[in-house]
Amino acid sequence: MHLPKRVTIFEMGARDGLQNEAAHVPTDVKVAFIDRLSATGLRWIEATSFVSPKAIPQLADASEVFARIRKAPGVRYPVLVPNLKGYARARAAGADAIAVFTAASETFTQRNINMSIAQSLDVFREVVAQAKADGVWVRGYVSTAFGSPFGDVVTAQSVVDVSVALMAMGCDALSIGDTIGVGVPSQVAELVPQLAAQIPLERIAMHFHDTRGTALANVYAALQCGIAAFDASAGGLGGCPYAPGATGNVGTEDVLYLLHGMGIETGVDLAAVRAASRFIAGALDHALTSKAFAALEAADARATAAS
Ligand code: HMG
Ligand code: MG
């Protein structure tokens, strides 16, 4: 079996995670959370979203969060941008890496960003052209790659078509999202080679939500297909308010535990990620869902009690 020797983690906790929280998380806490994540060895930390504050009130403080986080050397902090207005706000705050986001499902795209897929590609073509002119790194998200929350059929071909369109407009990399956590490994094994036929594998990350407990299995399936970049969220935070039923991303701790256990390097310190998760958990109204986080915390508590 030829698995990648090294994997890059894109940390989602501050963006995908905090966009879906009912509790009000103060700006200071978001900044402190991201600063803790910056001390873990993570090289990519999605920081926030410059979307409409009416659409995602949880991240209405994007400008302040972005301006205040300590930018660690060697760490990139991409931000979500839905249109030129969001791009201008992101740039004014100092962002040099952005993510545009569309989907393979028409209904989801409409509900999420009030555009058809074709309209979104037109909007993002302008955003990406501007970004490239400014030397800004761009990621393109393709959501609902394994199924739509609204029942419309998503085919592997539609995922490939949107992915190719995003790359053609100048995106540097893609993230292929199982937004509602419905995918299974056989779907991953079917989709990834179709993408790889058109797009270099090293430009593709997979973004699995763990709604039905298949995310880690899907990570493993993707590794077997040669994928070496994964999105994950500290503590397993996350979800999209416009995808009914969507729960958190696969936990960063779970992915790190799996990868490190298999001898795959990430450069990320699992204990330091746990510390960041422990910190943000204190600001939330629910327990974290990452199993590795919970198990390692419990093991530490037992060891402390025994000493
Ligand atoms: P719209 O209502 O069609 O936009 O929303 P509009 O252009 O008509 O503007 C309406 C109002 O919003 C106006 O203000 C604009 O100025 C303002 P008003 O005149 O009413 O006072 N506005 C903005 N304000 C600040 N920043 C902006 C911005 N744009 C417009 N950038 C829009 C369209 C795309 C803006 C909206 O639907 C939106 O912001 N959607 C974002 C939804 C979202 O963030 N979803 C979650 C992220 S996607 C996700 O989680 C999936 C992912 O994790 C991958 C996966 O899991 O698959 C990435
Ligand atoms: Mg997501």
Side-chain angles (χ1 to χ4, degrees):
M1 203 181 347
H2 297 290
L3 299 180
K5 288 189 169 38
R6 194 175 171 89
V7 157
T8 302
I9 303 291
F10 288 76
E11 172 57 43
M12 295 286 127
R15 194 280 303 168
D16 203 327
L18 297 184
Q19 77 180 9
N20 203 41
E21 289 298 330
H24 170 72
V25 180
T27 305
D28 286 351
V29 173
K30 293 174 182 170
V31 170
F33 177 43
I34 297 170
D35 285 348
R36 279 170 170 76
L37 291 169
S38 293
T40 60
L42 285 159
R43 294 288 170 159
W44 295 90
I45 301 173
E46 209 167 71
T48 186
S49 290
F50 290 88
V51 296
S52 159
K54 287 184 194 131
I56 306 282
Q58 291 91 335
L59 303 182
D61 57 357
S63 298
E64 196 184 342
V65 168
F66 196 88
R68 285 180 47 197
I69 55 175
R70 274 199 306 272
K71 299 353 176 252
V75 181
R76 303 294 299 267
Y77 299 90
V79 295
L80 252 60
V81 160
N83 50 25
L84 281 170
K85 177 164 188 171
Y87 181 75
R89 289 177 59 216
R91 291 292 287 158
D96 65 0
I98 63 161
V100 297
F101 53 107
T102 184
S105 151
E106 274 301 346
T107 315
F108 175 75
T109 310
Q110 200 69 53
R111 302 280 182 103
N112 194 39
I113 51 176
N114 199 23
M115 303 176 216
S116 66
I117 296 171
Q119 283 170 331
S120 74
L121 294 174
D122 288 344
V123 168
F124 293 140
R125 205 166 284 114
E126 282 189 88
V127 172
V128 176
Q130 188 60 56
K132 290 290 95 186
D134 296 341
V136 168
W137 182 88
V138 186
R139 167 181 247 206
Y141 276 102
V142 184
S143 286
T144 61
F146 298 95
S148 160
F150 303 107
D152 50 328
V153 174
V154 175
T155 62
Q157 190 57 52
S158 63
V159 179
V160 172
D161 290 346
V162 175
S163 301
V164 167
L166 286 168
M167 291 305 287
M169 69 178 72
C171 285
D172 295 282
L174 295 178
S175 173
I176 308 298
D178 185 7
T179 317
I180 55 167
V182 286
V184 294
S186 53
Q187 281 178 286
V188 176
E190 189 194 331
L191 175 62
V192 172
Q194 291 185 52
L195 288 167
Q198 313 248 16
I199 297 160
L201 262 183
E202 58 273 18
R203 294 188 181 246
I204 302 173
M206 301 300 290
H207 176 114
F208 295 117
H209 285 259
D210 198 26
T211 313
R212 290 165 184 76
T214 55
L216 266 190
N218 290 336
V219 167
Y220 189 63
L223 285 169
Q224 289 179 307
C225 297
I227 295 283
F230 293 95
D231 296 359
S233 185
L237 297 172
C240 176
Y242 295 93
T247 58
N249 288 87
V250 66
T252 307
E253 292 90 338
D254 300 296
V255 176
L256 293 177
Y257 182 83
L258 178 89
L259 295 174
H260 295 173
M262 292 195 299
I264 297 172
E265 289 170 29
T266 63
V268 184
D269 178 352
L270 174 47
V273 175
R274 278 169 58 205
S277 295
R278 201 179 304 128
F279 170 79
I280 197 65
L284 306 178
D285 54 9
H286 60 86
L288 299 178
T289 54
S290 161
K291 288 193 171 177
F293 173 77
L296 294 167
E297 292 287 287
D300 277 2
R302 281 195 301 276
T304 306
S307 65

